[in-house]
Amino acid sequence: PHLTTFDGARPSFYGAGEMWIVKSASISIQGRYEGTEFTKGLAATNKIAVGGAFLHGHVIVVGTMESKVLTVDGVSVLHNLGDTYKLGELAFLTYTEDGRLVDGAAGIWKKHIVHMSLPLGVKVTVLRWENYLDLRIEMPAQPGQDGSCGNFNGDVSDDSTEAIQARDAGRVGQGELLFPHRAAVGFTEEEEKLVIKCRTDMYATYARAHTQCAKQLRGQWGANLHKACVLNVCYGSNQHALKFAKSLGI
């Protein structure tokens, strides 16, 4: 997915897996990034999970339309447009067709939008499309905040994909998962070719990525997660990696 951080940087994360979107002592928002048949395996946001201390241990999960996932603590909610859901005094959720698009190109499709009003002034808007999600988060900066949406410190220069991963603020670590389980991470032939292209044409970047990712993915994470991490470092600053791949005949 392509992101605009709270400080205005534009990192991209093309490797699949569960990633931090917002990570702080109180607020936990995670994304499951997965490839689609239309992106040659390059990842889009497939699900998000919202939890942490500010929700007193409750977890809200929203997935794509084709996934049919929209749950609070594992129980399906908001079955129809117009439905609302109240999580005690903590959260209020609505499901409507009303809301501002993140990507104007998606305006050709019917909108299915989950609006979350959450504690600490956090508002999360999730636009559910058939096989991916768009997402908007509005919130005040939190102490020690980080994640794919950056560290919200007013400095746009330190929110590159590589910098976020180097701070261990990207991949969701062992024991930190809000989702019920991890998704299997595949790696397509096209993604393999992009990694080979990086190793051939950008060896210094590839070597740095290989070392950094081995350090970040301590333990039994598997080869595909390592390659997904390398893919992020190699191409995370390229907003048009899919177009680049196509231009190479990949």
Side-chain angles (χ1 to χ4, degrees), residues 44-68:
T45 306
N46 181 269
K47 291 184 179 69
I48 71 157
V50 182
F54 85 137
L55 285 184
H56 297 188
H58 296 286
V59 178
I60 303 166
V61 178
V62 182
T64 63
M65 293 301 294
E66 69 180 6
S67 77
K68 298 181 172 61

Side-chain angles (χ1 to χ4, degrees), residues 35 153 177 229 233:
N153 66 349
L177 194 68
C229 178
V233 175

